[in-house]
Each structure stands twice: as structure tokens, then as C-alpha cells.
Amino acid sequence: MKMMIGASLLAGSLLASGATAATAQTKPTLGPYGYGAVKLGMTVKQAKATGDLINKMPGGGGCSGWDLKKFPTPKDAIGVYISPRVGLAAIFAAKGMTTPQGIKIGSTAKQLKAAYPRIKQDFHGFYVTAVPGNKKAYYSFGVTRGKVTEYGIALNKQDCFN
């Protein structure tokens, strides 16, 4: 009887909060191939067809800038870059996104290094590592005062930024 009451309370709390085991498992993560339906390497046409992007900056022959509809960035920022040469080149994380290894904005440097033991600091000061499960991409993490403050996923051959 106690078990049935506990199960009923758990089910009720999941329904009341709108969360279910299925949605918890299907919540999109940033990586290893993109975010949800938005995948690294997609052409502009393929990326637009997902319905998940908003154009912010025309490419004019070069890289174009976009935002994920669910995660708009401030006026002077870009969330997604698409290159005419390599396709969708990079996606930058918004608050609430996580990597498959559980890293998010606010994670500690210690958690970052535990999740990615081979991570190295580059000459710009960012922590960079190969994306587990996708040898064509890398993660780049900005860390300030021991906390992840920004990060993104990009193709190794991206040509939109340094």
C-alpha cells in the first residue's frame, strides 16, 4: 500500500510539473551532432527547413548568422553560424542547454575537466576538446573564476570565426 501511494504521488508530481520520464530522456542536448533537429553541416536550406532558426545576419557571400527560435540572443550576438562552404558551422550554447556529458553554463572547471579529461586550453584562453562521438567537431568552453560562462560546438573545418 505504501508503495502504491508513493508511486501515485510521484506520477502526480510528474503530471503537475509537466515532466515525464520520456521528456527527460528526449530533452535536446548540445552535441554530438548539433542541437535537436539543427545539425552541424546542414545547408542553409536544410537548416531553415527545420523551422527552428531565425535569420539575424545575411551572409552576403560569407557566413550567415542565425538564432535558435527557443534561444534568441541579444541584438549584438549570434547563436548559430552557417558557412556557404561547410554548412552549419557552429552552435553556441544558451542558458539551460547541456552537453551529453552534463556540462552547462555554470558548471565548475573541475566538472568540465572530469567530463573531458583530454581538454586543453588554447592560445585564446578557451578550453577546447574533441566532441565525444563526433570526430568532425569540437567543443570550446569559456571559463571565468572557475565556472563555465560560455560554450559552443563547431565543425573542425568551420570558417566563420577564429
Side-chain angles (χ1 to χ4, degrees):
M1 183 68 165
K2 283 184 184 179
M3 189 132 158
M4 284 178 53
I5 292 170
S8 295
L9 288 173
L10 176 61
S13 67
L14 287 173
L15 288 172
S17 70
T20 66
T23 58
Q25 291 175 348
T26 61
K27 184 177 179 183
T29 57
L30 187 56
Y33 294 100
Y35 187 80
V38 179
K39 304 293 184 195
L40 293 171
M42 285 181 149
T43 64
V44 168
K45 185 177 180 181
Q46 291 168 328
K48 282 171 65 174
T50 67
D52 293 337
L53 295 177
I54 300 167
N55 190 304
K56 282 188 80 173
M57 181 185 81
C63 292
S64 54
W66 302 75
D67 271 349
L68 291 164
K69 280 185 181 177
K70 291 183 180 179
F71 299 100
T73 61
K75 185 178 179 182
D76 60 345
I78 299 291
V80 175
Y81 282 99
I82 302 179
S83 160
R85 188 175 69 79
V86 300
L88 200 145
I91 303 169
F92 294 96
K95 197 168 184 114
M97 290 183 182
T98 63
T99 69
Q101 291 73 27
I103 300 301
K104 61 186 178 194
I105 293 172
S107 292
T108 66
K110 185 176 180 178
Q111 291 169 320
L112 179 63
K113 291 173 185 175
Y116 305 103
R118 294 178 183 231
I119 200 162
K120 302 282 184 215
Q121 198 167 14
D122 70 9
F123 60 91
H124 295 293
F126 287 90
Y127 288 86
V128 180
T129 189
V131 174
N134 184 355
K135 63 184 179 183
K136 294 181 179 183
Y138 67 94
Y139 283 123
S140 180
F141 298 89
V143 176
T144 304
R145 291 188 209 114
K147 298 263 186 178
V148 173
T149 55
E150 61 183 317
Y151 73 96
I153 186 172
L155 290 173
N156 294 333
K157 295 183 178 184
Q158 69 84 15
D159 56 357
C160 294
F161 53 88
N162 293 340

